[in-house]
Amino acid sequence: MKRVLSGIQPTSDSFHLGNYLGAVKQWVELQDGHDAFYCIVDLHALTVETDPALLRKRTLASAAQLLALGISPDKSTLFVQSQVPQHNQLGWIMECLTGFGEASRMTQFKDKSSKSGADSSRVALFTYPMLQAADILLYQAHYVPVGEDQRQHIELTRDLAGRFNSRYGQTFQLPEAYILKTAAKINDIQEPTAKMSKSSGAVAGVIEIMDSPDANLKKIKSAVTDAGREVTFDAVEKPGISNLLTIHCALSGRTIAELENEFAGKGYGDFKAAVAEVVVEYLRPIRTRALELLEDEKHLLDILHQGSAKARTVAEATLADTYKNLGVVL
Ligand code: TRP
């Protein structure tokens, strides 16, 4: 079985619908037929100022949501990055292989550091991709399911793996980016020409998995619509309605054509009520399950500790090989 590995940062109290449809749903599908490793990358979340209570809360909330959304500890290895110290250890080796210029070309670093000003950015923001390379290479992953924005980091990881292998002997599997399908690209429901995102959008435009059914119902009923009154898909003329159609289809499994027929002659109000119903009923059991998991913290920690123990076994073996090939005295 091919191995997949991916990571998600515990940077918010709730995932949103875009995170689910764009990434986690596909992680769930990949569990079948692959040996999947999914990592909550808490160390990566430390590259910006964090509050200790929030980091803890969000790490547990991320785990509970991943489980509630269908990541199964029987099928995959779900673990917390900081519980596997080999990530830091191999991260250092990756930093020793990376050129300064090479790291300076990472577009995510350039974007993020230009926002806060390069001088006040943390050094760890610069070395972030080398820790990510370690995340991937420790598990000898074949595929890394990520969004298009991560392609450059996976390319760097491949380069570093190849460089190490040719200098020190075959040690790492060269991973491939498995770019997630964006067929169901979900946009902000208040600003439907922009991607649904908590960092750029207002709360009113983002549908959060952990929000109460009532709150989500209200949000969707006040989603922005377009001029005209026909419910038809037209991403340019009707970005608001088109986005709501996409959301409905992604969760209900219906087609755009079916929905256009069903709502022919009815107004936007009826349509929004239907979308709200679909979203709220889809998310209701997921939120309930996540809250149950968070209620019993000991059980949740048990699941994570078991995942981390499994991950450590694989990570230890790779690190031992790496050190041996480097000439480190063991
Ligand atoms: N950098 C990734 C992101 O921002 C998160 C991440 C960290 C990751 N380590 C990883 C993704 C390893 C895939 C594999 O989305």
Side-chain angles (χ1 to χ4, degrees):
M1 264 205 297
K2 298 282 190 197
R3 182 164 288 166
V4 305
L5 176 133
S6 198
I8 195 157
Q9 289 198 46
T11 43
S12 65
D13 295 340
S14 177
F15 295 143
H16 60 70
L17 206 55
N19 298 137
Y20 172 56
L21 294 171
V24 180
K25 186 162 186 262
Q26 299 173 63
W27 289 13
V28 172
E29 287 159 10
L30 285 167
Q31 292 182 116
D32 294 312
H34 296 88
D35 182 14
F37 282 69
Y38 296 126
C39 182
I40 299 171
V41 290
D42 54 348
L43 298 172
H44 278 113
L46 294 172
T47 52
V48 292
E49 184 80 43
T50 46
D51 173 80
L54 267 188
L55 180 68
R56 181 169 206 284
K57 177 170 176 237
R58 290 174 169 176
T59 303
L60 294 174
S62 301
Q65 289 173 83
L66 289 171
L67 293 163
L69 288 167
I71 301 295
S72 154
D74 300 326
K75 294 184 186 172
S76 353
T77 306
L78 174 67
F79 67 105
V80 179
Q81 186 186 34
S82 59
Q83 293 178 2
V84 185
Q86 287 77 14
H87 289 250
N88 305 70
Q89 293 174 288
L90 189 63
W92 176 254
I93 307 298
M94 292 298 133
E95 289 177 31
C96 293
L97 287 176
T98 308
F100 204 86
E102 196 174 29
S104 307
R105 284 192 291 277
M106 294 295 118
T107 56
Q108 193 168 56
F109 168 71
K110 289 198 274 187
D111 290 349
K112 289 194 179 173
S113 62
S114 69
K115 275 188 198 138
S116 61
D119 275 350
S120 58
S121 296
R122 308 302 159 92
V123 172
L125 194 64
F126 188 64
T127 57
Y128 178 119
M130 289 125 255
L131 181 61
Q132 182 169 354
D135 296 343
I136 298 166
L137 299 179
L138 276 176
Y139 301 95
Q140 310 286 357
H142 297 94
Y143 301 119
V144 187
V146 283
E148 183 61 42
D149 64 328
Q150 293 297 308
R151 190 190 284 279
Q152 196 187 27
H153 289 169
I154 313 306
E155 280 309 309
L156 174 72
T157 303
R158 277 177 75 87
D159 289 347
L160 296 176
R163 193 172 303 163
F164 189 100
N165 288 347
S166 65
R167 284 201 201 148
Y168 304 106
Q170 180 61 38
T171 311
F172 300 116
Q173 169 69 36
L174 260 53
E176 260 175 62
Y178 178 101
I179 300 297
L180 295 166
K181 292 187 270 303
T182 49
K185 215 169 135 228
I186 305 299
N187 287 337
D188 188 292
I189 61 173
Q190 289 299 330
E191 222 185 299
T193 49
K195 185 174 150 189
M196 186 176 283
S197 152
K198 295 222 281 209
S199 46
S200 48
V203 270
V206 178
I207 302 169
E208 308 217 32
I209 289 171
M210 298 307 284
D211 265 358
S212 71
D214 256 11
N216 275 333
L217 197 75
K218 285 205 194 96
K219 260 189 198 175
I220 298 165
K221 287 193 173 163
S222 37
V224 150
T225 49
D226 316 291
R229 55 221 320 257
E230 291 303 309
V231 176
T232 49
F233 191 95
D234 181 337
V236 178
E237 296 295 326
K238 289 176 176 264
I241 292 297
S242 303
N243 186 39
L244 293 175
L245 279 164
T246 305
I247 292 174
H248 191 311
C249 293
L251 298 180
S252 65
R254 313 261 313 266
T255 65
I256 302 258
E258 275 169 27
L259 294 175
E260 286 174 343
N261 268 330
E262 183 180 332
F263 290 95
K266 299 186 185 150
Y268 287 163
D270 282 357
F271 173 61
K272 284 206 281 186
V275 176
E277 157 109 7
V278 165
V279 173
V280 166
E281 291 318 317
Y282 193 93
L283 294 182
R284 189 190 298 276
I286 293 169
R287 172 172 182 263
T288 305
R289 180 74 191 120
L291 289 173
E292 272 167 22
L293 284 157
L294 287 169
E295 274 295 286
D296 189 351
E297 196 174 292
K298 189 186 162 300
H299 175 66
L300 184 58
L301 286 172
D302 271 353
I303 296 176
L304 292 175
H305 290 154
Q306 277 173 31
S308 299
K310 258 169 74 188
R312 262 193 315 269
T313 319
V314 180
E316 272 163 8
T318 304
L319 188 73
D321 262 0
T322 309
Y323 276 173
K324 178 168 71 59
N325 292 344
L326 275 171
V328 168
V329 174
L330 293 174

